[in-house]
Amino acid sequence: MTSLELLAPAKNLDCGIAAIDHGADAVYIGAPRFGARSAAGNSLEDISRLCDYAHPFGVKVYVTVNTILYDDELDDTCQLLQDLQSIGVDAVLVQDMGIQELSSSFLFPRLHASTQTDNRTPEKVRWLRDLGFKRVVLARELSVEEISEIHREVPDVELEVFVHGALCVSYSGICYASQHCFGRSANRGACAQFCRMKFSLVDSEGREVEHDRYLLSLKDMNQSDHLEELIEAGATSFKIEGRLKDVSYVKNVTAAYSQRLNDVIRRYPDKYCRSSLGEFRYTFTPDLRKTFNRGYTTYFLHGRQPDIASFDTPKALGEFVGTVKELRGDSFNVAGVASFANGDGLCFFRPHTSELVGFRANRVQGNRIWPYRLPDGLRPGVRLYRNNDQEFERLLSKPSAERRIPIRLALRAVDDGFELSASISQPNCQLSTVNCQLSAEHQQAQKPPHENIIRQLSKLGDTIYTCSAVDIPDDFNYFIPNSVLSEMRRALVELMDNGQWIMDKSSSKVSSDNYPLSIVHYPFDYLYNISNRLSRQFYGAKELSAYELKGGDGPIMQCRHCIRYSLGYCVRHGGQRPTWHEPLSLVLGDGRRFRLEFDCKNCQMNVYAS
C-alpha cells in the first residue's frame, strides 16, 4: 500500500488550518526567517499551533528554511532549527548545504531538499539521497518519463512534485535575474518577478521581432487530470504552489485536488491510500477555473508543448464565461450558460492590441450586464472571462468544509472493569487500535443495555471524530452508568488527540564526513550558491562564490521554456526557419538588454545579462 500526500501551502496559520480542513495531508509554511517567500514568514507560536491542529489528523507540517544563508545568519539559523525541532515540525525544506553542517550536531527532524536545489536528474537525486535527504522536491519542468526514470534509478527516496499554481520560468535555485536587475535575490526570498515584465525581442541587427510582450511569463500549472500518471511514475507527494495566496485559493484548490486524489484511490483501493486521516464535507463545489490563474498548462508533463506561455498578460484570466452578444446603451449581454452576480470581476482582450482590460459588473439581470461604464474595445464576439466570482467568493468566505475522522468503537468486559477501543474505519487505514480501560464493578443490567451504551459512546460532539459503529458482544449484559461511559469516551478521545499512534517520528541525522561532489557539474562557480563558511566547507570550495556576493559572467536564467519554439521558429520541432539573425536579445522598457542563448543540444534557453 502506497501512501499518497496532498501538500498544500500556508501563508499563515489561518490558511494552514483551512488547508487541513479542506483535504491536505500535509502543509508547508514559512519560518519567521530564511524562507524562499520572505513576505510569508510566520511566528514559532503560530507554527506550533498549526502542528497542534494538524497532528491529530495525521497531517504533517513542513517548514521552509530554503534560502541561502550568510555567515552572520548561521547562529540564528541553528537556533531556529532547534526551535522548530522542539515544537514538533515534521520536516524542514532546505536549499543551503550549510544546514547539513548545522544539523549534524543534533538529531534533527526529516530534511527535504527544496526544489531550489535544482533537482532534475537521477544523479542529483541520488546524491541528495546519499546525503541523508528523505525527500527531494523535483524541478517543475520534468516530464512523466523523467520522473519515472528518477524513481527507477533512486527508488528509496520520496519524490515530491508540483501539480498546481504559478510557474517560474527559470529552473528554481539558479535564477539571478532579480538580483542582477534590482538587488533582490530570489535565493534569499525576495524575487521581484522579472519574468512577469514586458520585453521587446530584437535580433543582432536591431530589428524588432516582438514588441512589448510578456515573453517570459508562463501560464499556471494544472495537473488535476494527470495525478494517476504522476503516481504511476513514482511521485508520492503532490504540491500546490501558493504561499502568497489567500485563504479562498487554498480552500478551493486543496478541495479540488483532494477529491481527484480520492478518485484515484477508489479505482485502486488495494494499491493506494491517503497519508492522513479524515473524511470531508464541503459547502461548495470545488472549481479550479474560479481560482486565480493565468490560463492553465500541463507544462512539460508530456514533453515540449507550444502553448505554455502567456505572452499577452501576466494577470489572472479566470474562467471563460461566454462571448459578448450585443451592446445596448450602457449594457451588454453575454452568449453562454454562465450566471453572473453584482460585483463580478470580468475581463477581455482588447481586439487588435491583445491588451487585457478588466472591469466590474455594476448590475446584473440574467445574462445582461451593466458596468459602471462600458470599457473601450468591448465588441460583439469578444471572448469574456471572469476573474472574480462574487457568489463563489461569498461561499468560501464562510466555514466551507468539515473534516472528521471516522472511528469504530468496541466495548468489552475485562477482569476488573471494561475496555473501550477505537479503530479507524477509513478505507485502507492500517493503524493500530487505541484503547483505554476503566476499573468498575460488573453489575448485571435490568434491561438490555446496548441501545443506551451506543447512544452515549457515539456522542463525540465537537471533537474531530465521528462514530461509524459501536461493537458490543451479544452476551454483554452489564449496567454502566452514563457518567462512567462519558468518562471512558473522554479518556479515549484524549488518547487519540495525542496523535502519537499516527505520527511518523523517523529522523534524518546526517553525517558530515566526505560529501561527494562528483555528480554536481556546474560550469560557473556561482551556480553552487555558496554564501557562507559552512557551505564552502561542505563543497570544499576555496571561496564564497554566490552570485549575490560576487556576481558572475554566466547565465542569469536557465529555462526549459524557449521563446524561439513558442513563436514557431524551432526548426528541430517542425517550425519555420527564422529570418532574423541571432543572437536575439530581450529588451526592457528602460533599455536594459538580455542576450538569449539557445542550447539546442540540451533543449534549453539561457538568459545572459548584456
Side-chain angles (χ1 to χ4, degrees):
M1 187 72 68
T2 300
S3 293
L4 306 177
E5 175 188 275
L6 178 60
L7 177 55
K11 177 172 69 174
N12 51 36
L13 175 62
D14 289 342
C15 285
I17 290 173
I20 294 165
D21 289 344
H22 287 74
D25 300 299
V27 294
Y28 63 106
I29 188 169
R33 296 177 64 190
F34 314 127
R37 295 289 184 274
S38 61
N42 292 271
S43 68
L44 290 171
E45 179 184 2
D46 278 356
I47 296 173
S48 178
R49 291 170 63 190
L50 185 60
C51 289
D52 291 342
Y53 190 84
H55 288 165
F57 291 105
V59 172
K60 295 180 178 179
V61 177
Y62 307 143
V63 178
T64 59
V65 188
N66 57 341
T67 62
I68 61 172
L69 305 169
Y70 293 154
D71 278 329
D72 60 0
E73 296 169 333
L74 292 176
D75 289 344
D76 288 345
T77 305
C78 186
Q79 183 60 55
L80 172 63
L81 294 174
Q82 293 182 60
D83 291 340
L84 292 173
Q85 181 183 30
S86 69
I87 63 178
V89 304
D90 298 284
V92 172
L93 286 87
V94 303
Q95 173 188 11
D96 195 313
M97 291 302 161
I99 290 181
Q100 292 282 10
E101 300 287 333
L102 288 176
S103 64
S104 65
S105 61
F106 58 94
L107 189 64
F108 193 74
R110 290 161 52 103
L111 295 177
H112 293 177
S114 169
T115 191
Q116 297 295 117
T117 53
D118 185 24
N119 311 316
R120 41 177 149 158
T121 66
E123 292 78 16
K124 185 64 173 288
V125 173
R126 183 182 297 110
W127 181 69
L128 290 164
R129 188 275 317 272
D130 291 345
L131 293 175
F133 286 99
K134 300 297 184 182
R135 175 181 296 185
V136 175
V137 187
L138 297 180
R140 294 169 174 85
E141 291 82 357
L142 299 187
S143 67
V144 167
E145 289 76 14
E146 288 168 317
I147 295 169
S148 183
E149 180 187 6
I150 289 172
H151 180 60
R152 285 195 304 271
E153 295 286 331
V154 199
D156 53 345
V157 68
E158 297 172 8
L159 299 181
E160 180 179 308
V161 296
F162 282 89
V163 292
H164 197 90
L167 288 166
C168 299
V169 71
S170 176
Y171 284 101
S172 293
I174 53 174
C175 178
Y176 310 98
S178 181
Q179 173 67 34
H180 172 80
C181 290
F182 310 108
R184 292 174 53 178
S185 168
N187 283 320
R188 301 267 300 159
C191 176
Q193 294 200 311
F194 173 85
C195 58
R196 304 296 180 190
M197 302 179 74
K198 273 186 178 180
F199 299 92
S200 292
L201 183 67
V202 299
D203 74 358
S204 62
E205 298 177 356
R207 289 181 295 181
E208 194 171 71
V209 180
E210 294 287 335
H211 178 71
D212 272 357
R213 301 189 74 189
Y214 300 94
L215 297 172
L216 295 178
S217 183
L218 301 179
K219 295 180 179 180
D220 288 358
M221 179 183 280
N222 181 346
Q223 308 290 22
S224 58
D225 291 331
H226 303 281
L227 294 180
E228 187 174 330
E229 294 174 72
L230 290 167
I231 293 167
E232 291 175 350
T236 55
S237 179
F238 307 93
K239 187 171 195 170
I240 299 166
E241 182 276 337
R243 278 200 300 120
L244 296 178
K245 295 295 198 298
D246 60 23
V247 71
S248 63
Y249 172 96
V250 171
K251 287 181 174 183
N252 184 36
V253 178
T254 302
Y257 274 86
S258 182
Q259 290 182 342
R260 295 297 183 93
L261 210 52
N262 285 340
D263 289 343
V264 176
I265 291 171
R266 272 191 288 271
R267 290 197 295 273
Y268 304 97
D270 297 328
K271 294 176 65 176
Y272 307 121
C273 64
R274 295 292 289 269
S275 65
S276 68
L277 303 174
E279 296 177 344
F280 308 92
R281 290 189 297 183
Y282 304 108
T283 65
F284 69 104
T285 301
D287 188 341
L288 295 174
R289 298 172 303 169
K290 295 181 180 295
T291 287
F292 180 99
N293 70 85
R294 301 174 176 90
Y296 284 130
T297 174
T298 59
Y299 208 25
F300 292 96
L301 186 74
H302 297 122
R304 188 170 289 282
Q305 305 295 323
D307 193 25
I308 66 172
S310 179
F311 285 170
D312 294 323
T313 180
K315 298 178 181 178
L317 281 178
E319 60 176 326
F320 172 69
V321 289
T323 57
V324 175
K325 187 175 181 181
E326 66 164 348
L327 278 71
R328 184 190 308 159
D330 58 353
S331 68
F332 66 95
N333 65 0
V334 180
V337 297
S339 58
F340 300 94
N342 296 346
D344 277 357
L346 303 170
C347 59
F348 66 96
F349 287 105
R350 182 173 286 151
H352 311 303
T353 67
S354 296
E355 177 189 358
L356 187 69
V357 179
F359 64 97
R360 286 200 174 275
N362 196 40
R363 181 164 66 91
V364 168
Q365 184 176 332
N367 69 338
R368 181 157 290 278
I369 297 171
W370 284 262
Y372 177 71
R373 67 177 180 84
L374 285 175
D376 293 338
L378 193 67
R379 300 285 186 272
V382 163
R383 291 171 62 85
L384 196 65
Y385 299 86
R386 175 166 52 196
N387 53 19
N388 188 283
D389 186 324
Q390 285 290 296
E391 180 60 24
F392 194 68
E393 291 297 321
R394 185 187 66 79
L395 288 174
L396 292 178
S397 69
K398 302 176 180 180
S400 49
E402 183 180 84
R403 180 174 188 155
R404 292 288 183 268
I405 300 173
I407 60 172
R408 190 179 189 97
L409 300 176
L411 179 68
R412 70 186 184 98
V414 294
D415 289 343
D416 59 347
F418 302 97
E419 180 184 81
L420 180 64
S421 62
S423 58
I424 306 297
S425 56
Q426 190 169 315
N428 306 322
C429 183
Q430 301 176 351
L431 301 177
S432 59
T433 298
V434 174
N435 59 68
C436 67
Q437 292 189 7
L438 186 70
S439 296
E441 179 183 355
H442 289 174
Q443 181 180 350
Q444 290 294 313
Q446 298 297 316
K447 59 180 181 179
H450 287 60
E451 183 177 337
N452 181 64
I453 290 173
I454 292 172
R455 182 169 57 251
Q456 295 300 322
L457 293 180
S458 299
K459 291 180 178 180
L460 293 170
D462 59 357
T463 71
I464 64 172
Y465 309 99
T466 182
C467 183
S468 61
V470 180
D471 297 324
I472 307 172
D474 292 338
D475 59 356
F476 188 98
N477 193 40
Y478 298 109
F479 169 73
I480 306 177
N482 287 348
S483 60
V484 174
L485 291 170
S486 296
E487 183 180 350
M488 295 181 70
R489 186 187 65 236
R490 282 194 298 270
L492 191 66
V493 167
E494 185 175 344
L495 286 172
M496 293 187 292
D497 280 346
N498 176 317
Q500 298 304 308
W501 57 317
I502 52 179
M503 293 291 291
D504 179 2
K505 292 296 183 180
S506 62
S507 63
S508 57
K509 184 174 176 63
V510 181
S511 168
S512 60
D513 298 332
N514 300 321
Y515 291 113
L517 183 60
S518 58
I519 64 92
V520 182
H521 299 293
Y522 285 130
F524 301 98
D525 285 346
Y526 68 85
L527 295 172
Y528 291 97
N529 296 323
I530 300 172
S531 59
N532 59 72
R533 65 181 185 275
L534 294 183
S535 182
R536 181 178 60 80
Q537 176 182 324
F538 172 89
Y539 284 109
K542 295 180 180 179
E543 59 181 359
L544 305 183
S545 58
Y547 192 92
E548 288 77 1
L549 299 175
K550 297 188 63 176
D553 296 327
I556 59 172
M557 279 185 166
Q558 296 182 33
C559 313
R560 203 164 206 177
H561 164 55
C562 175
I563 290 175
R564 191 165 67 179
Y565 174 85
S566 293
L567 292 175
Y569 292 100
C570 177
V571 177
R572 292 186 63 186
H573 286 89
Q576 59 183 306
R577 189 170 297 280
T579 57
W580 62 66
H581 295 100
E582 295 186 10
L584 299 178
S585 295
L586 296 171
V587 184
L588 279 174
D590 62 7
R592 282 181 287 183
R593 302 169 68 91
F594 304 89
R595 178 173 59 86
L596 300 182
E597 174 190 77
F598 299 100
D599 179 1
C600 296
K601 178 181 178 181
N602 296 304
C603 212
Q604 178 172 301
M605 181 181 75
N606 298 322
V607 182
Y608 287 80
S610 298

